[in-house]
């Protein structure tokens, strides 16, 4: 049996190597073809520009460039697959057939002389690997369902083209392999998980293309990975119509973006368009935007009830209703049109021919005909209507008509007494009883409000369009942010997050349901965690009342606290004595100020670095804040200053939960004095 498997692997690797060599030859030839095309285009440019073939010339070069991009992508995928051709196999006997199909599954199709050596994990037939145990199974292609029987499920461990081991199982994913994967140390970048996708995760990855989803997943449930693997699935299923550049992901911050940047390349796909909502706001408003980390730092260092009340209100649908009621009501009512008269001609007797648009006519169009539209849409439509009237009377060209429309827009905007976005924001804030933060960066909680006001008055200048949208850490956004997501992106989308990781406010199941309805999303929940050991998962989930969570039964050490007079020294000893063999360790502090202080003290005993830039993540020992660490995972986590004065309220409890759920294998707390109420039941360790 083993010899047969090794022979099949050898044959598959040989096919892959031949394909890789051929692909490299094609790339080389295509590059020469492109160079030749550019030379010919340059030599003939003056002749072409005088004729009608210039567009055809550019088009032919574009085709070559697209071919080159496709070849480079194929080269990347083949290079990866030569090292690990496949990770699983199912033997499937279709109903009505005597022959059993041996289906090997990997990151891409491998076909030679009509023989399928490996099926892409995204192919319909491969879905049975994730969805069924031994026995009855089926898969669907183009609405046709094929039934049969799975007679064998086998999983492989292959490295550098060499078969290390394989397992037969009756389960979807063999527990031994899953345990092995989860027991490994964290890598610098998030890894692809095609060999261990679970049934409930697979359902999300392969859901209908046009279905938009809101996925509530507890910490460690794999929600970010699922969203990225869904992108890979869509790129496979719609490879002729969707490219990586057509999919946009809204990330929490640049460090998180870097952390997830290897997932799609590991699957042989290009990375997606990545941005943050703050970056979009900066581009559109040309103003600085405070980061979420800055806001949480303010809460951690100065947790005033006034600030928490403001955050709570601005995080509500009530606030969104108040904003829209103001814009569509009180603000629009200030629009006061005047009559417009234009001289378009004069006869020999000095009689002037005029075109007039009365104030009443403009008012009727603005308040009745185009009622329900945003302000900028109303003005666009009125300007177009008036410009077309001119065009019909004066027989203007399209270019002249376009210029007229822009002139009318400028005139129509002047009927607004206040049309500056800053001023409108200031007025609305004053009505709500808040300061407008003049002359400073836009507050993190206000970026959606600024964007909503700008969009309502002028529309959006930049093109942020996408064919598919991924929004991560959805719990960190507000209803006003969601409103803008609806305005900017009409495409299908997947939003993933965990309401229990919302630090500054409480988010309920009702809020999730309202949000899903508001955005037209299907609400799905993932209640199984794969990240932390059983002991860490139980401790963290108990903190926030999640006692019914499922977890992989991977045992480890209980979380422990160390009461000490010298925390920096104790932390260094924990790392040296308790974290041997672990490659990524995080000291997660409450805020940036605390992180800086801990880092400065810790440097006296051990090599460490503040996590501020993506490249910092390469270091073994990192010191960071809870806000920055969110979404990332570490082999071991140490939470310092966990005394009763530093961690005492609900916000503090949420921070402990988020920080604790970053840990895969080990979790420690250090403090001087009396423990926080949230960890008082942990054993006080002294054995270092």
């Amino acid at each position: 049996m083993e010899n047969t498997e090794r022979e099949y692997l050898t044959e598959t690797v040989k096919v892959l190597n031949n394909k890789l060599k051929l692909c490299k030859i094609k790339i080389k030839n295509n590059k020469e073809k492109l160079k030749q095309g550019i030379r010919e285009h340059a030599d003939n440019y003056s002749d072409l520009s005088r004729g009608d073939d210039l567009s055809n010339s550019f088009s032919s070069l574009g085709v070559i460039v697209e071919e080159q991009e496709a070849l480079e992508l194929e080269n990347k995928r083949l290079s990866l697959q030569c090292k690990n051709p496949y990770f699983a196999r199912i033997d499937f006997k279709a109903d009505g057939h005597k022959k059993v199909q041996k289906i090997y599954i990997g990151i891409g199709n491998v076909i030679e002389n009509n023989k399928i050596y490996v099926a892409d994990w995204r192919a319909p037939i491969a879905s049975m690997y994730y969805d069924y145990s031994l026995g009855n199974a089926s898969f669907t292609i183009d609405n046709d369902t094929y039934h049969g029987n799975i007679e064998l499920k086998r999983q492989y461990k292959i490295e550098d083209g060499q078969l290390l081991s394989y397992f037969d199982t009756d389960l979807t994913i063999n527990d031994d392999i899953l345990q092995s994967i989860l027991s490994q140390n964290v890598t610098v970048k998030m890894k692809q998980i095609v060999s261990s996708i679970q049934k409930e995760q697979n359902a999300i990855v392969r859901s209908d293309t046009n279905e938009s989803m809101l996925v509530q997943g507890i910490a460690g449930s794999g929600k970010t990975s699922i969203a990225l693997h869904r992108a890979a699935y869509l790129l496979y299923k719609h490879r002729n119509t969707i490219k990586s550049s057509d999919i946009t992901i809204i990330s929490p911050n640049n460090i998180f973006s870097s952390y997830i940047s290897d997932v799609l390349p590991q699957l042989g796909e290009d990375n997606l368009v990545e941005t943050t909502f703050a970056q979009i706001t900066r581009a559109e408003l040309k103003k600085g935007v405070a980061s979420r980390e800055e806001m949480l730092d303010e809460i951690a260092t100065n947790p005033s009830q006034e600030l928490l009340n403001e955050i709570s209100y601005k995080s509500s649908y009530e606030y969104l209703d108040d904003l829209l009621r103001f814009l569509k009501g009180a603000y629009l009512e200030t629009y006061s049109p005047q009559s417009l008269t234009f001289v378009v001609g004069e006869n020999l007797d000095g009689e002037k021919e005029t075109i007039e648009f009365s104030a009443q006519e403009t008012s009727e169009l603005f308040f009745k005909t185009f009622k329900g539209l945003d302000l900028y849409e109303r003005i666009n439509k009125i300007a177009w209507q008036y410009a077309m009237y001119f065009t019909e009377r004066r027989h203007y060209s399209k270019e002249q008509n376009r210029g007229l429309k822009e002139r009318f827009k400028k005139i129509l905007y002047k009927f607004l007494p206040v049309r500056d976005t800053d001023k409108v924001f200031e007025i609305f804030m004053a009505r709500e009883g808040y300061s407008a933060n003049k002359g400073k960066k836009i507050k993190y909680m206000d970026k959606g409000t600024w964007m909503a006001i700008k969009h309502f008055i002028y529309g959006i200048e930049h093109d942020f369009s996408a064919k598919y949208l991924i929004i991560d850490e959805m719990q960190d956004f507000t209803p006003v942010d969601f409103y803008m997501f609806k305005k900017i992106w009409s495409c299908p989308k997947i939003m993933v997050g965990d309401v229990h990781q919302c630090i500054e406010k409480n988010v309920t199941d009702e809020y999730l349901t309202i949000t899903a309805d508001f955005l037209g999303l299907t609400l799905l929940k993932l209640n199984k965690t794969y990240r932390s050991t059983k002991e860490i998962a139980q401790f963290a989930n108990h903190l926030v009342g999640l006692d019914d969570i499922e977890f992989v039964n991977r045992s480890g050490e209980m979380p422990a606290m160390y009461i000490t007079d010298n925390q920096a020294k104790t932390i260094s000893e924990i790392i040296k004595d308790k974290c041997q063999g672990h490659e990524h360790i995080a000291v997660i502090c409450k805020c940036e100020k605390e992180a800086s202080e801990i880092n400065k003290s810790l440097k006296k005993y051990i090599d460490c670095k503040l996590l501020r830039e993506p490249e910092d993540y390469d270091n073994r020992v990192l010191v960071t804040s809870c806000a920055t660490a969110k979404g990332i995972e570490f082999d071991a986590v140490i939470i310092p200053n966990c005394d009763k004065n530093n961690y005492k309220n609900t916000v503090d409890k949420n921070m402990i939960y988020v920080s604790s759920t970053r840990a895969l294998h080990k979790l420690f707390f250090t403090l001087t004095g009396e423990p926080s109420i949230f960890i008082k039941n942990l054993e006080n360790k002294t054995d270092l």
Side-chain angles (χ1 to χ4, degrees), residues 80 84 87 106-107 121 130 181 184 187 189-197 225 228-229 232 259-260 262-268:
L80 288 168
N84 189 358
F87 54 83
I107 65 169
W121 68 276
Y130 301 103
I181 291 170
Q184 293 173 3
T187 53
K189 306 279 189 178
M190 180 184 282
K191 297 179 288 187
Q192 54 93 348
I193 58 168
V194 288
S195 64
S196 60
I197 292 174
S225 289
L228 293 171
H229 284 70
Y259 177 61
I260 65 173
D262 267 10
V263 174
L264 285 166
Q266 288 170 8
L267 297 171

Side-chain angles (χ1 to χ4, degrees), residues 224 251-260 472-473 630-632:
T224 300
S251 294
N253 53 53
N254 291 333
I255 291 173
F256 182 80
S257 299
S258 174
Y259 177 61
I260 65 173
D472 208 342
E473 301 290 351
K630 196 173 185 182
I632 307 175

Side-chain angles (χ1 to χ4, degrees), residues 4 117 172 229 253 405 421 426 483 527 539 561 631 633:
T4 304
Y117 284 85
T172 303
H229 284 70
N253 53 53
K405 179 185 175 182
T421 305
E426 188 178 332
Y483 171 78
N527 290 318
F539 164 78
M561 67 175 173
E633 55 187 31

Side-chain angles (χ1 to χ4, degrees), residues 31-47:
K31 283 182 178 178
E32 288 301 319
K33 187 178 175 183
L34 182 60
K35 287 180 182 178
Q36 181 64 26
I38 293 172
R39 281 196 295 267
E40 290 177 358
H41 181 81
D43 292 342
N44 300 323
Y45 182 79
S46 59
D47 293 333

Side-chain angles (χ1 to χ4, degrees), residues 85-97:
Y86 45 83
F87 54 83
R89 164 186 155 190
I90 55 174
D91 288 2
F92 179 69
K93 185 179 180 182
D95 289 348
H97 292 73

Side-chain angles (χ1 to χ4, degrees), residues 161-214:
Q162 300 297 312
L163 179 63
L164 302 183
S165 62
Y166 62 83
F167 304 87
D168 289 346
T169 178
D170 184 30
L171 305 174
T172 303
I173 305 297
N174 183 281
D175 193 53
D176 290 337
I177 287 186
L178 185 57
Q179 290 277 7
S180 174
I181 291 170
L182 298 177
S183 297
Q184 293 173 3
N185 281 327
V186 174
T187 53
V188 175
K189 306 279 189 178
M190 180 184 282
K191 297 179 288 187
Q192 54 93 348
I193 58 168
V194 288
S195 64
S196 60
I197 292 174
Q198 303 294 290
K199 184 175 181 178
E200 70 275 12
Q201 297 172 331
N202 188 50
I204 296 172
V205 169
R206 295 174 187 264
S207 62
D208 183 78
T209 302
N210 293 318
E211 183 174 6
S212 290
M213 297 169 283
L214 191 165

